[in-house]
Amino acid sequence: MQRRDFLGLSIAAGLSVAGLSGCSKPGPLAFGIHPWIGYEPLYLARDFGWLPETVTFRTGTSARDSMNGLLSGELGGAALTLDETIRVWSQGTELVVVAVADVSAGADVLMVRPRISELADLRGQRIAVELDGVSGILLLKILEVAGLTRDDIVTVDLPVNLHPEAWARGDVDASVCYEPTVSALEQEGGVRLFDSSEMPETIFDVLVVTRDTAEQNPRAVRDLVAAHFSGLRHLVRSMHDSIYRVASRQGIRPENVKSALGTVMLPDLAANQRYLAASGRVEAMARSLSRLMVREGMIPGEPGFRRLCDPAFLPRRLS
Amino acid sequence: MSVRWRPSILIIISFVTACLTSEIAPARETLALGVFAYRSDHIIRERYEPLVRYLSEEAGVDVTLEVLNQDQMSRAVAANRLDFFLTNPSHFLQIRSERSLTGVLATLVRRSGDNSTASLGGVMFTRAEREDIDALGDIQGKSIASPGVHFLGGYQAQALELLDAGVDIRRMNLVRFVDTHDRVVRSVLSEDSDVGFIRTSILEEMALEDPDLLAQIKVLNHQALAGFPYAVSTRLYPEWPLVALPHVNERDVRRVASALFALEPEDEAAAAAGISGFSPPADYQSVEYLARTLRVPPYDQMPQVTWVDVLNQYRIWVFTILVLVILLLGSSLWLGRSKRELAVQQKRLKRLIRDWPQPALLIREGVLVNTNRAAVDLLRYASDESLHGKGLAVFSPEYQPDGQLSSQKMAQTLVRVRGGLVEQCEWMLLRSDRTEVWVDMTLAPVEGEGDSEPVILCSLYDITRRKQAEQRQRLAASVFDHAREAIFITDSHGVVLDANDAYLEITGRPQKRAIGRLPPLPLDEGSSVFSTARNQGFWSGEFACKHHNGDNLILAVTISSVRGDHGEVSHFVGIFSDITRLKEQERKLLVMAHYDALTGLPNRVLFSDRLQQAMALALRQGVRLAVVYIDLDEFKPVNDAFGHEAGDQLLIEISSRMRAVLREEDTLARLGGDEFAAIVTNVQREDSLEGLLARLLGRVAEPVWVANHSVEVSASIGYTLFPQTENLDGDQLLRQADQAMYQAKHRGRNRYVRFSAPSG
């Protein structure tokens, strides 16, 4: 439920979108965002004033806020993971993926007690997982790799920020989590058995807008995407500066930011073009994910999208 | 250990400045590490001496320290006097652009207490009590102290941050460059400058020596960056790079590098330098971007983008645009030229119509819409505006010469023209000065596009002179026809070409006998009169000829020559009148003037005339003549007794008897009343004369039957002869005869007496 909100809950608290009237019609594009290392370029862009007035951020505490905003029509777009995108779509709001913010490459981790040395050992173990978040997807993938079914294990559906407690109490044998829970569990003697780097280009964090917004306010969408790439450029080029700024916002140490950045891939403009192409990875992954989710009963049925991605909003080049 | 040969040691020695007080060994196998003196020389030397010693030990080579400012370092690098140097990133970029380097060996990691960082930034500060300077915008216009343009944290980072906030300090501020960070702080504290620019960590270092410092100043645009150990006003950049120069051999570089990375924070050398060691080389892209944005060296010169570059990059576009531009230009030129030609043509046409000497008008819906200059002139108006909008009938008299109303006639004509006909007629126009002008008018419809009402072109031709000539001709013809005088025209040979009715009437010739023949000519001269007329221009004369019916005619003729274009005589015009009766009258008057009406005898005038002639003849022929004066005796009683009629009868009878006595060549004249005179020519002998006179007396004395009475009268006659000794005229002779007649009266009447000169 609270994927990608492991940091900055307090920052976002005062910026609740509640009470704000939705306006996905021309006017500023209301864009739902919540703290996540992959979305930091957007925050940097906003802080440096590179975000035009056509876009306003509605900062939520978690992806759930953004999903609800999209479904209620309050938001014209949001930063989500690919599976979250599919969930929103399956509930009736058509979305367009306009950019890939990051690709998880080790950010999502399976932590286990040291006695568990291989995936097969998971059989019969209690695994803490946030089922309707991206962790659920990772778990499904892990089971796939391990050749197990959900019945072979005991899933403990638990928000990720509660995992360390459950671990300490000895309630669980394994946890599907991400930073900073990973570090916390490591200190408790947890061992990293599997992470998203072993299934590259599977977990995407994307920028989506509703179909309506894409059609009626394309300028704002272009401004949003351009701002993301401006922020990304600063992040890459001025790493010495960015890590302190990210650390400040997330309330962690700069070294942790560095290691967090090491667990995501931040695709540049050219990579985005590649990902968003009609035959690109995102499109293919979305289909495979939606099949999986239907099979596991996470969504009622396949959304049946023909085209999820639209690279038309990517800037031609960075000025 | 590398042996580095310095080719020009003399130059190097001369280069070494006095400030380099350290024992620079002249040895060739030492390595020189240059450190940029961003603070006072002695502070830098103090801090970095331990590091140099550490390197010497760890790397196994002699490393010497050279503390240099930026200029000195640049020169030293240029002279290859340094093997390694440590300086700020901006300065490094400048040196790198000036010569190739092997690149950055390591990036310095600074330490502040427990924290360390490989980032640096700029600090903007002012005195704590300056309440007027708070935000970045407040800095505009304030005086600024900075160590120098090439200081990343001491100038460039701040300049970019302010530029983003809309403050261009390079244009709007007084910036003092005071070489070192320490002096910047002093300058602000001493109120010489409003704002100071220094790099991060300086304030914190200085605060160690002067704990009150942080209370005296405030940092502007403070960036809250978690985990960054220093106060900072700008975004962050990588810390100083330690750079190896290319000439240093690889082994030395490796040794130095490994020594650098092996430096632990706890090491005495690190502690002295205030660093926690060195990290792998950072990415200096952000500094380059900064330098490019600010256009500071080495990016102060914009790369020259040549046309060729642009052409290469946008070849297709340039070509397409070029082709389009050429097409556009071509078509514009073509259009322009056509337009110009059209305009010229239109102008020419307009001028042609306007200046065409023949008046022309355009009529639409019955009114004039266009007129040329000739039309305006024809109607004698000042401008064409006076004509526009009016019908042509306005400029015509109310009635045309044929009696039709002008407006009505024009309307009918226009209807026919609208029907597609071309109309031509003569028309009378009225000028502005009320004079009339005859025109030959041609009206033709002009097919216009989309005009429901066709435009009618009307051209006028002034035929007033022709009309006047026609009138004159008609007049002349009428004069010719109706004149009472005969008029004829002949060719150059005198053969009649045309003749009027009077000609036929006077001559009595029928037409066919008049034309083609000679006109009546004087018999004696004939056709020669034409020669005279040819030479003198005319001939005139009177002569007799015959009427066609044989009557005599006297004609008074004048023939004039008519000359053609080249002066040659082409025709003759003759005019004559019948003066027969005039001549008769003239003859009668002549008789009345010289003869006595009663007796028919010459009167005194003719007598004198004849006497004159007879005297001249007598003198010429040498013969004599006699002048005889005859006066009737006792005539008055007859007149009184029987009346004047009887007297007249008596005179007629007596005259006739006397005439019969005289010879034919002699003259008898009645001088008046009962007095007569006679001229007897060729008097051979006086006795024959006397016989004649006696016969005269005898015939007069015979009784005369008048008024049923027989009357007897006698005559007294005096005579004289000519020539005489004296030279006498006719009057004297007649007077002599008169005196002799008185002698005869005196002597008893009925006798004749010869004049004899009174003696004594």
Side-chain angles (χ1 to χ4, degrees):
Chain A
M1 166 71 83
Q2 292 179 2
R3 164 70 161 127
R4 311 303 195 210
D5 63 349
F6 70 104
L7 303 165
L9 282 172
S10 57
I11 297 168
L15 300 169
S16 164
V17 295
L20 293 175
S21 64
C23 52
S24 55
K25 302 295 172 212
L29 162 61
F31 190 81
I33 187 168
H34 56 274
W36 166 240
I37 186 70
Y39 306 151
E40 282 301 329
L42 279 174
Y43 285 111
L44 285 172
R46 185 192 62 184
D47 293 349
F48 279 108
W50 300 329
L51 191 69
E53 288 169 358
T54 49
V55 183
T56 54
F57 282 167
R58 302 287 167 78
T59 310
T61 56
S62 70
R64 175 51 53 192
D65 294 332
S66 295
M67 291 163 77
N68 288 339
L70 286 172
L71 288 170
S72 70
E74 276 176 25
L75 297 178
L80 296 175
T81 57
L82 196 54
D83 64 290
E84 285 156 358
T85 303
I86 292 166
R87 280 178 223 267
V88 172
W89 189 308
S90 72
Q91 289 172 60
T93 300
E94 251 189 82
L95 297 174
V96 181
V97 174
V98 294
V100 176
D102 69 273
V103 188
S104 177
D108 296 277
V109 182
L110 173 68
M111 295 298 289
V112 295
R113 303 274 179 190
R115 58 186 161 77
I116 301 170
S117 57
E118 56 183 43
L119 287 178
D121 295 342
L122 285 174
R123 189 184 296 273
Q125 300 297 321
R126 297 168 61 83
I127 301 176
V129 64
E130 195 179 310
L131 267 182
D132 59 352
V134 73
S135 298
I137 302 297
L138 183 68
L139 178 62
L140 292 178
K141 289 281 180 189
I142 289 167
L143 292 177
E144 228 176 67
V145 173
L148 300 173
T149 66
R150 281 178 70 180
D151 297 333
D152 294 331
I153 56 159
V154 182
T155 51
V156 180
D157 192 0
L158 198 65
V160 106
N161 50 335
L162 301 180
H163 288 200
E165 266 178 60
W167 184 283
R169 285 197 301 270
D171 290 348
V172 293
D173 306 308
S175 159
V176 182
C177 58
Y178 36 82
E179 287 289 2
T181 308
V182 176
S183 302
L185 294 185
E186 269 177 341
Q187 278 172 9
E188 297 284 332
V191 175
R192 187 185 281 249
L193 182 67
F194 187 91
D195 65 34
S196 50
S197 63
E198 292 178 58
M199 28 184 265
E201 297 195 326
T202 302
I203 299 177
F204 289 93
D205 284 286
V206 293
L207 307 186
V208 299
V209 294
T210 61
R211 180 72 68 187
D212 287 348
T213 304
E215 280 166 8
Q216 287 163 20
N217 202 359
R219 198 184 136 208
V221 179
R222 273 196 292 275
D223 287 344
L224 169 81
V225 177
H228 164 75
F229 284 105
S230 298
L232 178 61
R233 185 174 57 181
H234 183 79
L235 182 71
V236 172
R237 187 156 68 190
S238 300
M239 183 76 83
H240 283 83
D241 183 66
S242 306
I243 53 169
Y244 287 102
R245 294 185 188 275
V246 175
S248 298
R249 184 174 25 262
Q250 300 196 344
I252 56 172
R253 293 197 54 78
E255 301 90 271
N256 297 353
V257 176
K258 265 184 162 173
S259 57
L261 282 172
T263 61
V264 290
M265 300 199 301
L266 299 168
D268 66 1
L269 193 54
N272 257 278
Q273 294 279 11
R274 231 169 26 246
Y275 281 136
L276 296 185
S279 56
R281 180 71 184 159
V282 175
E283 205 81 40
M285 197 61 222
R287 285 177 211 287
S288 129
L289 262 183
S290 49
R291 276 196 300 277
L292 179 67
M293 289 164 81
V294 170
R295 202 166 60 232
E296 297 296 333
M298 288 173 169
I299 51 172
E302 277 193 53
F305 44 74
R306 267 181 304 182
R307 191 82 172 86
L308 183 64
C309 306
D310 190 349
F313 299 99
L314 296 175
R316 279 203 192 82
R317 60 191 196 83
L318 287 175
S319 57
Chain B
M1 168 89 58
S2 76
V3 177
R4 186 153 44 77
W5 180 251
R6 290 183 180 157
S8 181
I9 198 155
L10 278 176
I11 294 173
I12 299 309
I13 289 169
S14 69
F15 242 128
V16 174
T17 57
C19 70
L20 302 177
T21 52
S22 67
E23 58 276 39
I24 300 169
R28 297 168 184 178
E29 293 128 20
T30 55
L31 294 174
L33 169 66
V35 175
F36 166 44
Y38 72 106
R39 297 191 62 186
S40 311
D41 283 359
H42 67 273
I43 295 177
I44 300 299
R45 189 165 295 282
E46 213 170 83
R47 290 186 177 182
Y48 283 92
E49 280 297 353
L51 180 67
V52 169
R53 277 199 301 278
Y54 164 81
L55 286 178
S56 299
E57 285 167 22
E58 292 295 313
V61 292
D62 286 338
V63 178
T64 60
L65 175 68
E66 298 200 24
V67 179
L68 307 162
N69 65 26
Q70 290 189 347
D71 283 346
Q72 290 165 341
M73 185 176 285
S74 296
R75 281 202 299 273
V77 168
N80 268 354
R81 273 195 294 118
L82 296 178
D83 303 299
F84 299 93
F85 64 87
L86 183 66
T87 187
N88 77 41
S90 295
H91 189 213
F92 157 64
L93 287 183
Q94 200 187 337
I95 293 173
R96 192 183 68 176
S97 84
E98 284 163 5
R99 62 169 300 170
S100 306
L101 299 176
T102 49
V104 180
L105 216 57
T107 293
L108 183 143
V109 181
R110 204 167 292 275
R111 184 169 65 179
S112 171
D114 293 337
N115 283 319
S116 59
T117 180
S119 300
L120 69 85
V123 180
M124 292 176 258
F125 69 98
T126 183
R127 285 190 312 284
E129 69 269 21
R130 286 296 290 261
E131 285 171 12
D132 58 324
I133 303 174
D134 216 31
L136 289 184
D138 299 335
I139 294 177
Q140 183 163 338
K142 301 291 189 296
S143 64
I144 295 169
S146 158
V149 173
H150 303 303
F151 286 68
L152 174 62
Y155 180 77
Q156 294 178 1
Q158 289 92 334
L160 180 72
E161 214 67 28
L162 285 164
L163 196 65
D164 279 356
V167 181
D168 189 349
I169 54 164
R170 290 170 297 176
R171 289 186 183 185
M172 297 182 282
N173 288 68
L174 170 67
V175 184
R176 289 195 191 88
F177 296 109
V178 295
D179 289 340
T180 66
H181 295 284
D182 301 62
R183 287 189 199 157
V184 170
V185 177
R186 279 201 296 277
S187 173
V188 172
L189 291 179
S190 67
E191 302 187 24
D192 284 345
S193 304
D194 297 322
V195 180
F197 288 177
I198 51 175
R199 58 154 289 164
T200 48
S201 84
I202 300 293
L203 281 177
E204 287 78 0
E205 284 171 19
M206 290 176 78
L208 292 177
E209 295 150 23
D210 177 11
D212 294 339
L213 179 66
L214 293 178
Q216 291 173 42
I217 56 121
K218 64 174 174 184
V219 173
L220 302 170
N221 196 39
H222 193 280
Q223 305 281 301
L225 297 177
F228 189 71
Y230 306 115
V232 59
S233 306
T234 69
R235 59 197 81 172
L236 300 176
Y237 301 91
E239 262 288 1
W240 286 20
L242 196 145
V243 183
L245 282 152
H247 61 254
V248 184
N249 78 37
E250 212 173 303
R251 198 181 59 172
D252 289 344
V253 172
R254 256 200 330 269
R255 283 180 177 182
V256 169
S258 67
L260 285 174
F261 291 132
L263 183 66
E264 289 295 329
E266 300 77 28
D267 197 291
E268 176 242 349
I275 61 176
S276 55
F278 288 86
S279 69
D283 184 353
Y284 288 92
Q285 235 193 113
S286 55
V287 186
E288 283 177 43
Y289 168 74
L290 167 97
R292 280 183 209 278
T293 307
L294 288 180
R295 300 239 185 113
V296 292
Y299 303 112
D300 50 344
Q301 297 297 321
M302 286 295 284
Q304 289 284 319
V305 179
T306 63
W307 282 108
V308 177
D309 298 337
V310 176
L311 273 177
N312 276 333
Q313 187 162 4
Y314 298 103
R315 202 176 304 141
I316 303 287
W317 279 107
V318 167
F319 180 74
T320 310
I321 288 170
L322 208 66
V323 167
L324 285 176
V325 164
I326 287 170
L327 282 176
L328 190 74
L329 267 176
S331 58
S332 316
L333 279 176
W334 181 76
L335 269 177
R337 216 181 55 185
S338 323
K339 201 175 150 190
R340 240 186 348 265
E341 271 175 11
L342 207 66
V344 166
Q345 207 168 1
Q346 202 173 12
K347 217 162 139 189
R348 202 186 300 139
L349 273 176
K350 234 178 199 166
R351 214 165 39 216
L352 177 71
I353 292 171
R354 198 190 59 204
D355 297 343
W356 184 244
Q358 192 168 336
L361 322 154
L362 284 182
I363 299 174
R364 183 187 284 151
E365 291 169 359
V367 298
L368 307 183
V369 292
N370 233 322
T371 48
N372 69 355
R373 191 181 294 161
V376 176
D377 290 347
L378 177 75
L379 290 169
R380 293 193 181 153
Y381 278 90
S383 72
D384 47 3
E385 274 84 19
S386 326
L387 306 181
H388 293 171
K390 299 171 186 164
L392 203 53
V394 173
F395 306 100
S396 313
E398 194 176 358
Y399 289 95
Q400 285 299 305
D402 60 2
Q404 286 195 63
L405 265 171
S406 293
S407 52
Q408 213 170 356
K409 189 178 178 186
M410 178 54 68
Q412 288 164 1
T413 310
L414 288 179
V415 166
R416 284 196 298 277
V417 174
R418 278 183 210 123
L421 297 173
V422 174
E423 285 281 321
Q424 187 165 21
C425 62
E426 290 181 355
W427 189 269
M428 170 90 76
L429 288 171
L430 203 57
R431 288 174 165 143
S432 64
D433 55 9
R434 313 309 294 167
T435 56
E436 293 175 335
V437 55
W438 271 102
V439 292
D440 186 80
M441 181 164 72
T442 307
L443 293 156
V446 178
E447 294 304 327
E449 286 158 27
D451 287 338
S452 55
E453 173 82 20
V455 175
I456 295 170
L457 174 65
C458 169
S459 85
L460 306 173
Y461 183 66
D462 186 354
I463 55 166
T464 308
R465 298 178 88 177
R466 196 182 84 199
K467 276 287 173 187
Q468 284 170 348
E470 274 175 19
Q471 269 173 347
R472 271 203 306 277
Q473 216 165 6
R474 261 204 301 279
L475 190 64
S478 126
V479 167
F480 186 77
D481 288 342
H482 298 102
R484 288 182 60 85
E485 281 76 21
I487 300 169
F488 62 90
I489 301 164
T490 75
D491 64 13
S492 56
H493 303 292
V495 176
V496 173
L497 299 172
D498 197 6
N500 64 354
D501 294 346
Y503 179 96
L504 304 178
E505 198 183 327
I506 290 171
T507 59
R509 300 178 187 175
Q511 176 96 16
K512 57 180 181 188
R513 298 185 69 93
I515 308 298
R517 303 193 177 201
L518 289 174
L521 295 172
L523 287 171
D524 48 353
E525 293 185 71
S527 293
S528 63
V529 297
F530 291 114
S531 312
T532 311
R534 191 189 305 271
N535 296 334
Q536 300 179 355
F538 74 99
W539 176 90
S540 70
E542 297 170 357
F543 56 88
C545 67
K546 291 279 184 196
H547 191 266
H548 195 56
N549 59 13
D551 291 349
N552 285 318
L553 283 177
I554 300 172
L555 302 177
V557 179
T558 303
I559 295 173
S560 308
S561 58
V562 176
R563 293 190 179 271
D565 295 339
H566 306 297
E568 84 289 355
V569 172
S570 59
H571 296 88
F572 292 101
V573 175
I575 180 165
F576 60 82
S577 50
D578 181 0
I579 57 166
T580 312
R581 290 169 72 178
L582 204 65
K583 280 288 170 190
E584 181 65 18
Q585 221 143 19
E586 193 181 281
R587 195 186 54 78
K588 281 179 181 166
L589 281 173
L590 205 62
V591 170
M592 276 161 66
H594 292 89
Y595 294 89
D596 175 36
L598 185 64
T599 60
L601 295 178
N603 62 10
R604 184 187 289 268
V605 176
L606 186 56
F607 178 80
S608 299
D609 198 25
R610 291 202 178 158
L611 179 56
Q612 209 73 37
Q613 290 175 22
M615 284 165 72
L617 191 65
L619 284 176
R620 201 158 54 237
Q621 294 176 345
V623 297
R624 287 190 297 178
L625 66 81
V627 175
V628 181
Y629 204 103
I630 304 160
D631 187 84
L632 296 182
D633 304 326
E634 307 300 340
F635 174 73
K636 200 166 180 306
V638 174
N639 218 13
D640 293 344
F642 305 109
H644 285 290
E645 224 166 284
D648 286 350
Q649 264 185 331
L650 178 67
L651 286 174
I652 291 168
E653 181 56 29
I654 297 297
S655 303
S656 174
R657 287 178 189 170
M658 287 197 290
R659 182 65 255 177
V661 173
L662 291 172
R663 294 170 300 176
E664 185 67 26
E665 64 265 27
D666 297 337
T667 297
L668 177 65
R670 183 184 177 213
L671 299 181
D674 55 353
E675 292 179 2
F676 297 90
I679 302 161
V680 179
T681 58
N682 201 15
V683 177
Q684 300 284 339
R685 291 163 40 204
E686 199 165 344
D687 53 343
S688 61
L689 177 66
E690 285 173 357
L692 178 73
L693 293 176
R695 281 194 304 276
L696 268 177
L697 286 174
R699 286 289 293 155
V700 171
E702 288 175 9
V704 181
W705 188 262
V706 290
N708 299 321
H709 291 88
S710 174
V711 178
E712 287 181 22
V713 289
S714 63
S716 299
I717 295 174
Y719 75 94
T720 187
L721 291 173
F722 179 81
Q724 297 172 22
T725 51
E726 291 175 57
N727 192 15
L728 298 171
D729 63 12
D731 284 347
Q732 286 170 318
L733 279 178
L734 194 60
R735 227 169 4 253
Q736 283 179 351
D738 187 27
Q739 285 172 11
M741 183 276 290
Y742 273 103
Q743 286 290 322
K745 284 265 190 206
H746 204 65
R747 288 179 191 173
R749 301 175 181 170
N750 199 20
R751 68 189 67 229
Y752 59 85
V753 175
R754 185 179 183 258
F755 172 75
S756 57
S759 53

